[in-house]
Amino acid sequence: MASTQSRDAVLEDHPQLLPASPTSEYIHSSILSLSILVVFELEIPIKDSKTITLLRDQFLPINTRFSSTLVRDEKGAQSWKRVDINLEDHVKVPHFPTGLPPSTYDDYLQDYLTKIALDRLPENRPLWEIHIIKYPTSNAAGTVVFKLHHALGDGFSLMGALFSCFKRADDPSLPLTFPTKNPSLKSHWKAEAWKKVSNIAAGCWYTASDFVQSVLHGTVLEDDRTAIRSGTPQLEFEQFTISTVTFSLDRIRRIKSKFAGTVNDVVVGIIFYAIQLYQQRMGQVTTGRRMTASVLLNTRMVNGYQSVNDMLKEKTWGNHFGFLHIGIPSCSNADKENPLTFLINAKKTIRRKRQSLAVYLTGRLLQMLKTIGGPED
């Protein structure tokens, strides 16, 4: 309570300060600092002469957080503070050797992404950067990388912000739009409410069991040591390398239509199957081993793309997500398993988890612990 009163007093003395959300505080601390890399691959060479103008006229006005820093009061509570911004400090243009083949620039790009992923964003300026790579790779004539701190918002918010800066290729006078078939927020909420009422008994059981499981995983339960979990202390601070793999979205859509699933079901199922194949290649049998994945869940009551204006109007901008703890299925011989089995299991598990309110209870619990122990705890 004292911490809350302290923050309220600070905000009254400094009306330009806006309190950071609890989630933003969790992912921006002395222990944890999460950033998102958004990579745009362009079909034509980059001309960066209009970069500053685009950032000033279109990007910064989207949200005041893009021209604010996070400051802490004497209790450690964080707030957003508007600052003067020098856009040149946020634009990075790396220089590689010239005249190399695109495949070589693939390696340079991968190394560069790894480097900027490890670098912590400066605290004395707004928490974002744009990196312009003018060298042709195997996939693009040029590459633009946005690095944005997760405290600014989740992927849903930040992608909406970046898309709002673009125009349609067929008519540059019009903003970028996406087709949508989702119902309104109100009707979606009614459908979800009716669904939960009709399954109230199962929902209560799932909520209780998932909440207990989530608390245990966060405190006493540990996954077994495997090829994907070494158990090495402070592994998150070790050097790592970013590598990519590309899947055709059209193929994923065709796959999901085969078993009436979602794109998310397909992606999760593919990852689970790949984990089994990897561990088998590493000479490990996964049968009987406890392995758990944290699957990101969008907690907004929307289904589909929202423009920035819609997010600001309906107050869905920011970090609105939770994590579902999902057990990774095991098998004795991944080469003999039908990959579709992993997709179907992922679909069933995620749908069952969506009937649970454990993700919201876990968020409340974290908020209570933050109030008692402070933001850094």
Side-chain angles (χ1 to χ4, degrees):
M1 181 65 70
S3 177
T4 302
Q5 292 175 344
S6 173
R7 171 180 287 200
D8 291 341
V10 171
L11 295 178
E12 289 178 2
D13 294 336
H14 302 277
Q16 74 274 23
L17 298 182
L18 294 175
S21 68
T23 304
S24 293
E25 290 189 301
Y26 295 143
I27 54 186
H28 180 265
S29 68
S30 59
I31 300 173
L32 181 65
S33 182
L34 296 180
S35 294
I36 299 173
L37 294 182
V38 184
V39 181
F40 292 101
E41 295 179 329
L42 308 181
E43 295 181 346
I44 59 176
I46 298 174
K47 296 181 180 179
D48 60 345
S49 58
K50 296 183 179 180
T51 300
I52 298 298
T53 302
L54 185 146
L55 292 174
R56 183 186 63 243
D57 297 341
Q58 298 189 45
F59 181 70
L60 291 184
I62 292 173
N63 197 295
T64 57
R65 295 186 187 185
F66 295 138
S67 54
S68 302
T69 60
L70 276 172
V71 296
R72 293 177 173 84
D73 62 18
E74 67 276 7
K75 298 293 185 179
Q78 301 183 50
S79 300
W80 294 100
K81 179 182 179 180
R82 292 288 297 272
V83 296
D84 294 330
I85 181 170
N86 182 7
L87 289 172
E88 284 79 5
D89 293 338
H90 294 260
V91 180
K92 312 294 181 180
V93 183
H95 297 283
F96 303 152
T98 59
L100 301 177
S103 58
T104 302
Y105 287 125
D106 291 344
D107 296 332
Y108 273 99
L109 177 60
Q110 178 176 302
D111 293 341
Y112 186 77
L113 290 176
T114 299
K115 177 184 179 301
I116 65 174
L118 288 170
D119 293 339
R120 191 157 181 159
L121 288 165
E123 298 286 332
N124 61 344
R125 63 188 188 217
L127 298 171
W128 61 270
E129 293 176 344
I130 178 173
H131 301 258
I132 301 175
I133 295 91
K134 299 182 179 181
Y135 304 90
T137 63
S138 299
N139 299 318
T143 307
V144 176
V145 181
F146 274 88
K147 181 176 181 179
L148 308 110
H149 199 285
H150 217 317
L152 295 167
D154 54 22
F156 193 94
S157 297
L158 297 177
M159 288 306 298
L162 297 179
F163 284 150
S164 70
C165 297
F166 301 151
K167 305 297 181 182
R168 286 175 48 169
D170 60 335
D171 188 349
S173 65
L174 297 176
L176 188 67
T177 57
F178 293 90
T180 179
K181 62 179 181 180
N182 62 293
S184 66
L185 182 65
K186 183 176 180 181
S187 62
H188 181 75
W189 166 248
K190 286 183 176 180
E192 288 296 313
W194 173 250
K195 181 179 180 181
K196 291 188 181 299
V197 169
S198 64
N199 296 282
I200 187 169
C204 290
W205 169 250
Y206 293 154
T207 297
S209 61
D210 290 346
F211 179 69
V212 172
Q213 183 183 40
S214 179
V215 172
L216 291 177
H217 273 294
T219 53
V220 297
L221 287 182
E222 285 191 1
D223 284 359
D224 296 325
R225 296 197 178 192
T226 63
I228 63 170
R229 182 182 184 273
S230 67
T232 303
Q234 296 186 329
L235 183 64
E236 63 272 18
F237 299 109
E238 297 294 330
Q239 184 77 23
F240 66 88
T241 299
I242 292 178
S243 60
T244 61
V245 60
T246 302
F247 294 95
S248 167
L249 185 57
D250 288 336
R251 294 187 66 182
I252 290 179
R253 287 170 174 165
R254 288 199 297 270
I255 293 172
K256 79 180 184 69
S257 66
K258 296 292 184 181
F259 67 104
T262 66
V263 169
N264 196 48
D265 297 334
V266 176
V267 173
V268 173
I270 289 174
I271 293 174
F272 285 175
Y273 180 55
I275 289 174
Q276 305 305 318
L277 291 175
Y278 175 73
Q279 297 212 135
Q280 185 168 301
R281 301 295 189 273
M282 297 296 293
Q284 292 186 355
V285 177
T286 62
T287 303
R289 293 177 181 266
R290 180 166 59 230
M291 298 181 293
T292 308
S294 293
V295 179
L296 193 66
L297 174 67
N298 178 12
T299 57
R300 295 173 177 81
M301 294 298 178
V302 296
N303 182 25
Y305 173 76
Q306 266 194 322
S307 68
V308 171
N309 290 335
D310 290 338
M311 282 189 279
L312 295 176
K313 180 181 178 181
E314 298 177 5
K315 297 182 179 181
T316 57
W317 173 281
N319 284 296
H320 296 272
F321 64 86
F323 288 99
L324 297 176
H325 287 97
I326 296 180
I328 299 176
S330 60
C331 62
S332 58
N333 190 337
D335 288 324
K336 294 183 178 180
E337 290 287 337
N338 184 349
L340 191 60
T341 302
F342 289 88
L343 274 61
I344 294 174
N345 287 338
K347 170 190 170 182
K348 291 180 179 178
T349 303
I350 292 175
R351 288 197 174 182
R352 191 202 74 78
K353 293 283 186 177
R354 283 185 177 276
Q355 290 184 268
S356 168
L357 296 176
V359 65
Y360 300 98
L361 294 181
T362 303
R364 293 289 186 181
L365 176 62
L366 290 175
Q367 179 63 16
M368 287 176 51
L369 295 176
K370 169 183 169 296
T371 303
I372 296 172
E376 293 290 330
D377 293 338

